Structures are given as C-alpha cells and as structure tokens.
Amino acid sequence: MFEHDDLARDAPPIIGILTSILVMDSGTFPGMERSFVNHDYISAIESAGGIPVLLPVVKGAEAIRRQVESVDALVLPGGYDPNPLLYGENPGRTMGFIFPEVDEHQLAAIRVADASGKPMLGICRGLQILNIAFGGSLHQDVSLAPDSYVQHLQKSRRHSPGHEVSLTEGTFLADVFGRSMIVTNSFHHLAVNKVAPDFIVNAVACDGIVEGIERHRGTPVVAVQWHPEMMFEMHPHMLEIFKGFMGIIAGKDARFDRIAVPAGREGS
C-alpha cells in the first residue's frame, strides 16, 4: 500500500461525492432526470480543504471502478430511502420513495472504495447505505424502534439544531468535537437497527437512536445521521467532521489502521 509522502500530504484531496437522481415534476421537461447533489456538500468539502468532484450514477462495473479510482475518498450524501429488500425486509407502509439504480451504483462504489482503501464519509442516507453495504440493517421508520420518542424529522430551517446527541468516548466524533454532547439538526425517518460487523456506534440520541457509526479496521469509514454540511456556516464546529475526514485521508488519525491510496497512485 502506498504511503503518503510530503507532496501527497500537502496536496488537497480529491473527494468524490456520489450523486443522486432528481426527477423533475414540473417545468419545461417534467419527468426529466438530473444528476443531483445539494451544494452544501460542495461548500463544506471545499471549506475543509478538499476538492469536491461529482460522481454521477453510471452503469457498468468498469465505469464505477474508474470513477472511484479517480478520487482519494468518497462522500455518500443524503437522499432517498434505501430499498429494504437490500437488508432482507419487505417494504413497510412507512417506506418513502426509493431509487434502486442509485442504491446499486452506491453499493458498487462502496465495494470498490473498500477494496482500494479509499476512506468513506456517510451523511444521513449515506450512513444507512454504508451500514447496509457492510451487513447491517435499518428500522424502516423511527417509530418502529423501541423507546424512540424524539422528533427526528425536525420542522425548522435546515441549519437549526434539533436534538441532543451523545458522543462515544475515544471515537473520531468525540475527538473532533472535543466534547461528549452536541446538538444536531435531524432530517431522517429511517434509523439503524443492526449495526454492521466491525463498526462501532459513535453517537446516540437520547432515545437510543444511532446517530453515527465508524470503522477503524480496514478501509476507514465514518458516518453520521445528521447533516453537518447544512449547519457549518451557522455553527462552524460542524465543519470539524469534514476537517477530521481530511485528516483520515492524509493518514493522520491513528485510530484508522489502513493508509488510503491517493488518486492515480494505485499499485505504487
């Protein structure tokens, strides 16, 4: 595995954002499908020192492999509900809109990134699809989780803090924030049920809903259930997640025992 030299450490990392597909329901071309990601992700990555690149949904294993090889790391953003068939459940009545082609693209990209040592950061749906990809499962609605009572789909502006989240001591999240409790926004109705093997829970809401996971063995993976990219301009400490992720990519966080391969340097 290639170890970062001084040049690689100093160069801004190229961060691939896996896009979704937005189906237009009005305008000149109703039904038109557009590659889509909220600009907040781009702003957060750039503010943290990365170079964001959009990776649209494509078909074909070779195309997806080339996409992932072109970047240093992946960000998996929010979006549609993952298909519950992916974790062995039939769809319940609370299930939202699904887009299986997006699921398939993201799962394939995750497999390539995992095999090639590309760190991954998941946000909201991104946490959910990562948990599924590595063998975990979801509650199809927070109302199905035992003892859940917190409002996890807040009725306020996207940057507004919604509820408290406890951070697990010794984890990436606890260290980047330097505290044991934060207040996050919240825009999800799905929740982690079974945590994927080799992952640890790094954040929990006061009703027990998992708010973050991370994996230290193998390819580094960090994921949160809230949207720090929507908060960081009004609440600058939320940018620490993205800055910390840049540190993981550079091999500066000793918790993660595998050094990432810089884009274009595979096989060095």
Side-chain angles (χ1 to χ4, degrees):
M1 189 65 68
F2 174 83
E3 296 192 10
H4 293 265
D5 55 23
D6 290 341
L7 178 61
R9 281 195 297 269
D10 293 340
I14 300 172
I15 312 299
I17 308 173
L18 298 179
T19 71
S20 188
I21 295 176
L22 179 65
V23 181
M24 304 303 295
D25 58 5
S26 61
T28 305
F29 303 107
M32 175 75 77
E33 296 181 354
R34 294 183 175 178
S35 294
F36 170 78
V37 67
N38 286 330
H39 195 78
D40 290 342
Y41 294 100
I42 296 168
S43 297
I45 290 168
E46 191 173 20
S47 296
I51 300 173
V53 175
L54 303 188
L55 303 180
V57 175
V58 296
K59 298 178 181 178
E62 178 63 12
I64 297 169
R65 183 184 68 81
R66 293 285 299 275
Q67 280 186 324
V68 177
E69 285 182 351
S70 72
V71 300
D72 294 311
L74 292 182
V75 167
L76 293 98
Y80 306 121
D81 287 5
N83 191 338
L85 294 173
L86 294 172
Y87 49 94
E89 292 187 9
N90 283 300
R93 286 173 289 182
T94 58
M95 188 184 75
F97 186 81
I98 65 169
F99 210 127
E101 292 84 354
V102 174
D103 293 338
E104 292 165 8
H105 178 249
Q106 294 192 352
L107 289 170
I110 290 167
R111 289 192 292 269
V112 175
D114 188 39
S116 56
K118 309 281 189 178
M120 290 172 271
L121 172 64
I123 294 174
C124 199
R125 171 203 154 86
L127 176 151
Q128 297 159 8
I129 198 71
L130 282 163
N131 191 55
I132 294 167
F134 290 104
S137 66
L138 305 177
H139 293 293
Q140 292 188 42
D141 192 78
V142 291
S143 64
L144 302 174
D147 303 320
S148 176
Y149 65 89
V150 169
Q151 173 60 276
H152 289 276
L153 192 59
Q154 69 186 53
K155 313 299 182 185
S156 57
R157 292 180 295 176
R158 70 186 193 280
H159 60 75
S160 298
H163 64 73
E164 292 179 331
V165 171
S166 297
L167 306 179
T168 305
E169 183 178 0
T171 62
F172 167 82
L173 280 185
D175 285 358
V176 297
F177 285 114
R179 64 188 80 171
S180 60
M181 178 79 72
I182 58 174
V183 183
T184 73
N185 59 7
S186 190
F187 294 98
H188 65 101
H189 84 100
L190 304 177
V192 169
N193 183 1
K194 174 188 172 185
V195 178
D198 295 327
F199 281 74
I200 60 174
V201 174
N202 54 22
V204 182
C206 54
D207 59 354
I209 294 295
V210 172
E211 293 286 339
I213 57 176
E214 61 189 66
R215 186 180 72 168
H216 299 162
R217 296 178 57 191
T219 300
V221 182
V222 175
V224 296
Q225 188 60 80
W226 69 93
H227 284 273
E229 82 288 354
M230 294 182 179
M231 296 187 72
F232 82 94
E233 290 189 344
M234 297 293 291
H235 306 278
H237 63 283
M238 284 294 170
L239 191 63
E240 296 304 316
I241 292 178
F242 295 93
K243 290 181 177 179
F245 186 58
M246 302 305 159
I248 292 172
I249 297 165
K252 296 179 179 178
D253 193 319
R255 267 179 296 262
F256 300 92
D257 62 6
R258 185 171 179 178
I259 298 174
V261 182
R265 300 296 291 270
E266 288 80 3
S268 298

